[in-house]
Amino acid sequence: MRFRRLETRLLVSFLLLASLPLFLLALFAAGVTRTGLERISSPVIGDAFERAALLARETRDRLEFDAARLFPELPNRPAEGAEIDQVRKRLADAGFDFIAWEQPGGETRVVARTDVDDALGVPGVEDWAALADGRRPSSRAGESLRFFDGEPGTARALGRRLDPELAEALDASSRLYSSAQQLGSRFAPVLRTVAAAGLALMIAITGVAAYVLARRTARRVSRPVTELAAAADRLAGGDLQHRADIQADGEVAALVESFNRMGARLQASQARLVRAERVAAWRDAARRVAHEIKNPLTPIKLAVYRLRQRVGDDAATLGSLDSIGEEIENLARLADSFSEFAKLPAPSFDDVDLARLANQVVELHGGARESVQVGYVGPDALIVRGDRDLLRRALTNLVKNATQILADGGRVEVGLATDARGVRLTVDDDGPGVPEQIRESLGRPGVSARPGGSGLGLAMVQSIAEDHGGSLTWEDRHPGTRFTISLPPPPTGTAGADEPAPKA
């Protein structure tokens, strides 16, 4: 009996001594788990995501600055009569879609940039009341931003409809921050369970397993999040081209993908804003240049006419005057080009048969040069939403440029096709291609592949494409060049969705 008692005491003592290092090992595993949790919930990581959200808010602040700069140029009372057209022009130049004035009783008078659709987000009675209560003078209504000015009872509001991708990017920035906060809380119970299991079982295998599992789990969770925080820090610092190249699974992978999509949308939105500012500056400069060129042309023409009357039959002098007259006409055409670019109207959307429009442009230019062939390849009908006149102007400019740059025997082919991404309107030629020295700047005013060209044509085409929610791109064909106008998909149920068939 005593032997058994002693054996029991020795066994208990051995188990206690053997359990001590296992207990310490379990405590170490718990410490590793706590370290992983602290890394996940680190304020540095949270601050990085907050800076990424600040970048999205800078876009809103920039629009608010533009609104504050525009308010003094607009009337304090509702526009009437011919003044409405002037107000619409100022709205279009500044990139806003409507202006609204508060009326007695909280009613609203509004002047929209184009049609009723552009007035979505017009403030109502509750918005004017919120402004009177002293709230921040800006608000969001769906995909519209409104900026307020003035005293209660006589307030004004400027509105701008957001690009859908920009609106989604603004929402994604806040979702990204909340997802990062939730990530740590979701993994915390798992890590605590591992630590509790190591403390409860108190055996070597379980302790080692808890240690290994805690280390691997902490590294698996904290390393991708830390790398993602570093990527967010670079994005917040202005490097919008940076993308997170992180190997992860589950929710972390979804978070990385969401981050990269947000970066791409912010980059695209910034590019659109920069492009819009440049176009506005180009149009303002074009308006001034056209004005400065046209002013002296009339007196110069008159002077040339009077000189013709005085010189009589002096052939040499008459030849010089003819040269001066030709240069005057060239300047007049250049001024007209600047004026056309500066006065490019906002699109008025309607159903347009793009296939029929393309055939009309081909027929118009088919006989411009007998030595150049112009053809069409595409469906017989394709309905899109757009401005018929602006789309015709854009396609005409591309076809005209191609026919003028080709040598005798060349060919221009207008193509039309659709796919899941949208509509593609192409103009192919077999000419010399775009010179190497202007490839990076092609599409800017003053840059042209055609001798004597002003470069305003491609800038106008690009502006029309972007106003329709699309883009203008070009590529080498070896030989020749292809210009592509990409547009959104046509309305569902319209004709022309079949594969294109060649047409003479």
Side-chain angles (χ1 to χ4, degrees):
M1 181 68 65
R2 292 181 179 178
F3 177 78
R4 288 185 176 180
R5 289 181 179 177
L6 179 60
E7 184 180 15
T8 302
R9 291 178 181 177
L10 291 175
L11 180 60
V12 171
S13 301
F14 175 79
L15 290 176
L16 290 176
L17 292 174
S19 300
L20 181 59
L22 297 178
F23 178 78
L24 295 177
L25 186 60
L27 288 179
F28 181 72
V32 173
T33 302
R34 184 173 60 254
T35 301
L37 291 174
E38 291 176 352
R39 293 178 65 184
I40 292 174
S41 58
S42 171
V44 176
I45 296 177
D47 291 342
F49 281 104
E50 288 181 350
R51 288 195 295 272
L54 283 175
L55 182 63
R57 289 198 291 270
E58 285 181 1
T59 301
R60 177 171 181 155
D61 295 339
R62 189 173 190 174
L63 294 177
E64 187 173 355
F65 175 79
D66 291 341
R69 188 171 55 181
L70 181 61
F71 269 122
E73 301 178 15
L74 296 173
N76 294 321
R77 50 169 180 72
E80 302 289 344
E83 189 180 18
I84 293 178
D85 292 334
Q86 298 177 0
V87 170
R88 285 176 173 167
K89 183 177 182 300
R90 293 298 302 147
L91 292 174
D93 290 342
F96 286 91
D97 296 299
F98 66 84
I99 181 173
W101 293 271
E102 182 185 6
Q103 299 294 287
E107 297 181 354
T108 302
R109 288 284 299 279
V110 61
V111 169
R113 175 177 167 183
T114 53
D115 52 25
V116 176
D117 290 340
D118 286 333
L120 292 177
V122 171
V125 176
E126 64 281 1
D127 297 299
W128 300 122
L131 180 65
D133 290 340
R135 299 182 184 177
R136 190 169 183 263
S138 65
S139 64
R140 170 93 175 270
E143 293 185 356
S144 296
L145 282 176
R146 297 94 58 90
F147 305 94
F148 298 91
D149 176 67
E151 300 294 330
T154 60
R156 297 177 295 171
L158 278 171
R160 176 169 179 173
R161 296 184 66 190
L162 295 174
D163 182 277
E165 292 186 355
L166 176 58
E168 186 176 353
L170 292 174
D171 294 335
S173 64
S174 59
R175 292 199 304 269
L176 181 64
Y177 178 73
S178 61
S179 297
Q181 295 295 319
Q182 294 173 3
L183 186 63
S185 62
R186 289 189 178 184
F187 277 93
V190 177
L191 298 176
R192 291 194 183 99
T193 300
V194 173
L199 290 171
L201 297 177
M202 299 292 289
I203 60 175
I205 297 177
T206 306
V208 173
Y211 170 76
V212 174
L213 181 61
R215 286 295 299 268
R216 291 185 61 183
T217 303
R219 289 180 179 179
R220 184 178 179 182
V221 175
S222 63
R223 182 180 299 170
V225 174
T226 302
E227 294 177 359
L228 187 59
D233 197 27
R234 290 187 61 177
L235 189 67
D239 186 4
L240 300 184
Q241 296 182 351
H242 181 68
R243 299 293 179 267
D245 185 12
I246 301 173
Q247 299 296 325
D249 300 322
E251 294 183 350
V252 179
L255 186 60
V256 172
E257 184 179 354
S258 177
F259 173 84
N260 288 333
R261 284 200 304 269
M262 183 195 71
R265 288 165 182 160
L266 286 175
Q267 184 180 8
S269 300
Q270 185 189 57
R272 288 190 182 94
L273 289 174
V274 172
R275 170 66 185 169
E277 290 179 353
R278 287 179 178 175
V279 169
W282 290 341
R283 289 183 179 176
D284 184 64
R287 188 182 301 110
R288 296 174 184 271
V289 170
H291 178 74
E292 295 298 329
I293 292 177
K294 287 182 177 180
N295 277 344
L297 287 184
T298 300
I300 292 176
K301 285 183 178 180
L302 182 59
V304 170
Y305 174 77
R306 290 175 177 173
L307 288 174
R308 284 181 177 274
Q309 302 300 319
R310 293 181 182 181
V311 299
D313 297 332
D314 188 346
T317 304
L318 288 175
S320 299
L321 292 177
D322 289 340
S323 299
I324 296 175
E326 292 178 0
E327 294 300 325
I328 292 175
E329 294 301 324
N330 289 336
L331 286 174
R333 286 192 293 269
L334 182 61
D336 290 338
S337 298
F338 277 104
S339 296
E340 183 180 8
F341 177 72
K343 297 177 181 178
L344 195 64
S348 178
F349 289 92
D350 200 356
D351 288 342
V352 179
D353 188 343
L354 197 56
R356 181 180 179 185
L357 186 148
N359 274 296
Q360 291 174 348
V361 173
V362 168
E363 292 176 2
L364 179 64
H365 289 82
R369 287 181 59 187
E370 296 181 357
S371 59
V372 174
Q373 298 180 4
V374 182
Y376 168 75
V377 175
D380 294 331
L382 179 61
I383 305 300
V384 300
R385 292 290 296 175
D387 188 304
R388 186 187 313 274
D389 293 335
L390 291 180
L391 291 174
R392 179 185 288 109
R393 186 182 302 183
L395 182 56
T396 297
N397 190 281
L398 293 179
V399 174
K400 181 179 178 182
N401 285 349
T403 57
Q404 290 179 347
I405 204 171
L406 289 180
D408 293 341
R411 176 174 175 78
V412 178
E413 184 175 277
V414 177
L416 183 60
T418 62
D419 57 22
R421 294 173 296 177
V423 178
R424 299 189 313 277
L425 182 60
T426 59
V427 177
D428 296 341
D429 65 68
D430 53 5
V434 179
E436 185 71 28
Q437 61 271 22
I438 66 170
R439 292 190 172 195
E440 296 296 328
S441 56
L442 189 65
R444 300 177 186 174
V447 179
S448 175
R450 180 167 50 88
S454 64
L456 294 175
L458 286 181
M460 179 185 67
V461 175
Q462 188 170 15
S463 180
I464 292 174
E466 291 178 353
D467 286 344
H468 283 75
S471 62
L472 172 68
T473 56
W474 70 274
E475 57 184 303
D476 285 323
R477 298 187 65 223
H478 305 292
T481 310
R482 165 175 289 181
F483 285 89
T484 302
I485 298 177
S486 300
L487 299 174
T492 56
T494 57
D498 298 334
E499 288 296 324
K503 184 173 182 180

